[in-house]
Amino acid sequence: MEKIRALIIANFLWRGRLNRSGLYISIGLFYAFGLLALPFQIVLAVATSLEAAWLAVGLNGLLLIFGVAMAWNLLGAVVRRLHDRSKSGLWLLLFFGPHAAVVALVSRIPFSEQKMITLAMILGMVVAAPFLVWGMVEIFCLRGREETNHYGPDPLATMAGEPAASLP
């Protein structure tokens, strides 16, 4: 339990490095905490249908805070994973920015303009998809750097019992 607590705290601070298994655990925790929010969402759906406005406003606020905290934790895990690859968290802009731009573009096109939507989707596949795939491979598939980098020591080496080098 202490390891999970330390993982969550490190993810919130966005400091250090995270190996692939730590990222997968962080994603699992994201879904587990999402399941904890499910009863609140059910109560919110019932409260909205009963027109209990005060309860709906309170639960919406609670779920918003909870969702932002979960997203911050997961984003921190991905940034730490990039740190393990000796990359800055700003690489997320390159990996996912073109995809987000295409999604924003397509969402602005009226539904009646099917030809324009199709053209934008093709543009997205040609321009944005390679960056998205590159980012997914970097984050989920490739092994972290074995040596100590300016984000910290190799997390696998510190798990194996080697002494951790201090952060600069």
Side-chain angles (χ1 to χ4, degrees), residues 15-166:
R15 295 190 55 111
R17 296 169 58 174
L18 185 66
N19 58 21
R20 285 178 291 185
S21 65
L23 177 67
Y24 302 146
I25 291 169
S26 297
I27 292 170
L29 289 172
F30 178 80
Y31 283 106
F33 286 130
L35 286 175
L36 291 177
L38 186 61
F40 295 107
Q41 293 170 343
I42 292 170
V43 170
L44 178 63
V46 171
T48 304
S49 66
L50 295 177
E51 298 191 18
W54 61 272
L55 182 61
V57 169
L59 282 176
N60 270 328
L62 181 68
L63 287 171
L64 177 68
I65 292 168
F66 191 68
V68 167
M70 286 176 29
W72 185 264
N73 186 5
L74 188 61
L75 189 58
V78 173
V79 167
R80 292 181 63 219
R81 179 69 190 119
L82 285 172
H83 288 175
D84 194 36
R85 298 274 312 133
S86 294
K87 294 184 177 354
S88 166
L90 293 174
W91 278 80
L92 287 175
L93 294 175
L94 176 66
F95 294 149
F96 301 109
H99 179 72
V102 169
V103 169
L105 173 70
V106 170
S107 70
R108 294 289 183 200
I109 301 172
F111 189 70
S112 60
E113 298 289 331
Q114 287 295 319
K115 289 183 181 180
M116 188 63 91
I117 291 174
T118 304
L119 181 63
M121 296 289 279
I122 291 170
L123 174 72
M125 292 299 289
V126 171
V127 174
F131 291 104
L132 186 64
V133 170
W134 177 22
M136 297 305 246
V137 168
E138 282 280 342
I139 293 167
F140 291 105
C141 300
L142 297 178
R143 184 186 168 137
R145 304 286 184 224
E146 291 182 11
E147 68 277 354
T148 298
N149 62 22
H150 59 281
Y151 297 109
D154 180 10
L156 294 178
T158 56
M159 287 173 50
E162 295 178 17
S166 61

Side-chain angles (χ1 to χ4, degrees), residues 1-11 25 29 80:
M1 198 62 164
E2 181 60 33
K3 287 184 179 184
I4 291 176
R5 182 179 166 275
L7 175 69
I8 291 171
I9 290 171
N11 286 348
I25 291 169
L29 289 172
R80 292 181 63 219

